Amino acid sequence: MMSSDEYVSIRKMGDMFYFYSQFGAPAFSFNKEGKFKGMVGVNGRAAHEFTRYIRSFAVNEERNELAICDMSGKLLIYDSNGTFTRSAQIGGEVQEMSDYKVFHATNDEYFFLRESRNNDIPDVGTDEKYAEQHLVTVNSKGEISNEKLWGHVYGITTPKANRSGVTSSLLKSALLETDKKFTIISNTDTIYSYNPLSKDAVAEYVIDFGKYALGGSNPSMARFNQSDIFFDTEHFLVFSIMFPISYFKDEYPTNLRTVFVYDKQSRSINALKLDRLYGHALVYNGFGTRANEKAKGFAGFTNDLDGGIPFVPRYIKDGKMYQIMDAIRFMDLAEKGNSKRMKEVAANLNEDSNPVLIEVTLKK
């Protein structure tokens, strides 16, 4: 069974789409017509199996291969049909709960941020180093061709979700991709572009958090929400910021995860406004509200193409943006929206149907 849409990540190679989540299931492959073609990966502990769940999934278009990294830091390679070919341990010793997001660089090379966890999570204080982060490049045999220190993981104190007391969390960098453009979101205020061929990182954007910056009387801070909702395109930058509960006590949890759009031409920045008409349309990942919370609408790009619901991009590939949506949610929103095409698709669905993939090509 596929997970609910809010947990599913998308990858595309050629005319094939791959959907995976971190709940023990393999990756599901479909062709561009939506026909199910098979599964990639098997859950288990053998050399050809991923351990417990898929941490990341990369496509290698140069070699027509697929790569899975599991929670133990094992890299598994498959051909385009999903047949296993080889595996390697890329994180040194087997590490349970590894946080590796692996990306394809070139030919048979992959890269990721690796943490060296030598200490317990700090109880308090933003200056306590919990781990080092290294940028690592490996091949599919697990052989390291490049490794260098990127930065450190710090412990910070944040208010608990129940608004009483504090808890310790981690502040670290993350790797993300927008259609083969690679980005490192730092653990402070800087966004870097990363070239996996030259192994160089260049500071490209700096966010001024203003009164929400770390320090002052509040022990927490606003910081990047390091989810899959980050896109750096030719014309705009989309990213999500997480705010401390203390800043929005009366609107919890509506504004805790706010999505911003930076227009590169006008150099203006705006937050996406919540659309209260469409209710609980998408949860987690920076948009909408969390599961079991009161629905307050969701933020997305206004659909001025056909009058349909706001669009929430989850993946960009070959100049197109994609969003995946559970069938029952799609049917509910189609009834509320004005898109003729959306209503036509919804008429052929039922609550047991597969999710719907929405593809958007922006007007020039």
Side-chain angles (χ1 to χ4, degrees):
M1 297 289 291
M2 292 181 68
S3 298
S4 298
D5 54 22
E6 67 264 30
Y7 303 110
V8 174
S9 295
I10 308 168
R11 296 293 182 267
K12 181 176 183 288
M13 185 170 72
D15 291 334
M16 296 294 295
F17 290 90
Y18 303 90
F19 304 91
Y20 72 97
S21 66
Q22 297 180 21
F23 289 91
F28 296 81
S29 63
F30 294 82
N31 63 17
K32 63 180 181 180
E33 285 78 31
K35 183 178 180 180
F36 177 65
K37 303 299 290 185
M39 294 181 288
V40 182
V42 177
N43 190 342
R45 292 189 174 273
H48 67 285
E49 298 171 334
F50 64 85
T51 304
R52 293 183 60 182
Y53 63 76
I54 299 172
R55 183 64 188 88
S56 67
F57 187 101
V59 296
N60 183 340
E61 294 176 293
E62 293 182 34
R63 298 167 65 99
N64 209 27
E65 292 181 333
L66 310 168
I68 286 176
C69 184
D70 69 6
M71 62 174 294
S72 68
K74 182 167 61 177
L75 186 70
L76 302 104
I77 306 298
Y78 306 82
D79 65 20
S80 59
N81 296 317
T83 301
F84 171 80
T85 60
R86 59 199 184 278
S87 66
Q89 190 68 37
I90 63 172
E93 297 179 358
V94 175
Q95 299 182 35
E96 290 294 311
M97 300 302 294
S98 88
D99 199 30
Y100 302 151
K101 280 191 174 181
V102 174
F103 301 90
H104 173 243
T106 185
N107 195 20
D108 190 38
E109 286 192 334
Y110 298 84
F111 65 99
F112 57 96
L113 274 172
R114 182 175 66 191
E115 293 179 19
S116 57
R117 303 181 180 184
N118 301 319
N119 305 305
D120 293 330
I121 298 176
D123 292 330
V124 294
T126 57
D127 294 327
E128 295 192 45
K129 297 178 181 178
Y130 165 61
E132 293 180 342
Q133 286 187 292
H134 294 256
L135 272 168
V136 182
T137 302
V138 300
N139 61 22
S140 61
K141 296 180 181 179
E143 298 167 340
I144 296 176
S145 60
N146 187 74
E147 180 174 0
K148 61 182 177 181
L149 176 66
W150 169 255
H152 293 85
V153 180
Y154 294 87
I156 63 171
T157 54
T158 56
K160 289 183 178 179
N162 61 12
R163 307 182 212 179
S164 63
V166 295
T167 185
S168 182
S169 62
L170 299 176
L171 194 61
K172 58 185 177 180
S173 298
L175 263 170
L176 297 166
E177 176 191 1
T178 306
D179 207 359
K180 296 299 288 185
K181 179 174 183 179
F182 302 104
T183 301
I184 302 176
I185 298 180
S186 74
N187 57 11
T188 52
D189 56 3
T190 309
I191 299 174
Y192 296 82
S193 60
Y194 179 69
N195 186 329
L197 303 182
S198 65
K199 315 294 190 299
D200 293 326
V202 178
E204 198 162 2
Y205 310 98
V206 176
I207 306 298
D208 183 357
F209 286 98
K211 68 178 182 180
Y212 300 112
L214 179 65
S217 58
N218 194 304
S220 188
M221 66 178 294
R223 60 190 187 274
F224 294 113
N225 180 20
Q226 297 170 340
S227 68
D228 288 334
I229 295 184
F230 178 92
F231 303 109
D232 187 357
T233 73
E234 180 182 357
H235 300 293
F236 60 86
L237 187 73
V238 180
F239 60 93
S240 178
I241 296 293
M242 296 183 67
F243 291 94
I245 293 173
S246 57
Y247 289 128
F248 296 103
K249 291 180 180 179
D250 298 329
E251 300 180 74
Y252 174 81
T254 305
N255 291 313
L256 293 190
R257 299 175 179 86
T258 302
V259 178
F260 294 89
V261 179
Y262 173 68
D263 187 311
K264 294 182 181 180
Q265 183 174 2
S266 65
R267 294 189 175 183
S268 61
I269 189 168
N270 293 280
L272 293 184
K273 186 178 180 180
L274 291 174
D275 191 320
R276 300 182 184 278
L277 171 65
Y278 293 102
H280 204 186
L282 185 69
V283 295
Y284 296 111
N285 285 314
F287 294 91
T289 58
R290 297 185 301 178
N292 302 318
E293 295 285 354
K294 183 179 179 181
K296 296 184 179 180
F298 76 96
F301 289 98
T302 299
N303 184 344
D304 58 1
L305 299 175
D306 66 353
I309 64 169
F311 178 73
V312 182
R314 295 286 300 279
Y315 180 61
I316 293 181
K317 178 68 174 177
D318 301 328
K320 298 180 184 295
M321 301 196 301
Y322 296 93
Q323 176 184 359
I324 185 172
M325 185 177 292
D326 287 339
I328 192 167
R329 187 177 295 163
F330 185 91
M331 291 187 292
D332 177 56
L333 295 176
E335 184 178 344
K336 296 178 180 179
N338 298 315
S339 169
K340 180 181 178 181
R341 176 58 180 154
M342 194 171 180
K343 293 180 184 294
E344 290 174 351
V345 173
N348 295 311
L349 301 175
N350 59 58
E351 62 182 15
D352 295 320
S353 296
N354 280 342
V356 177
L357 186 65
I358 304 170
E359 179 185 88
V360 171
T361 303
L362 296 180
K363 293 181 178 180
K364 295 184 178 180

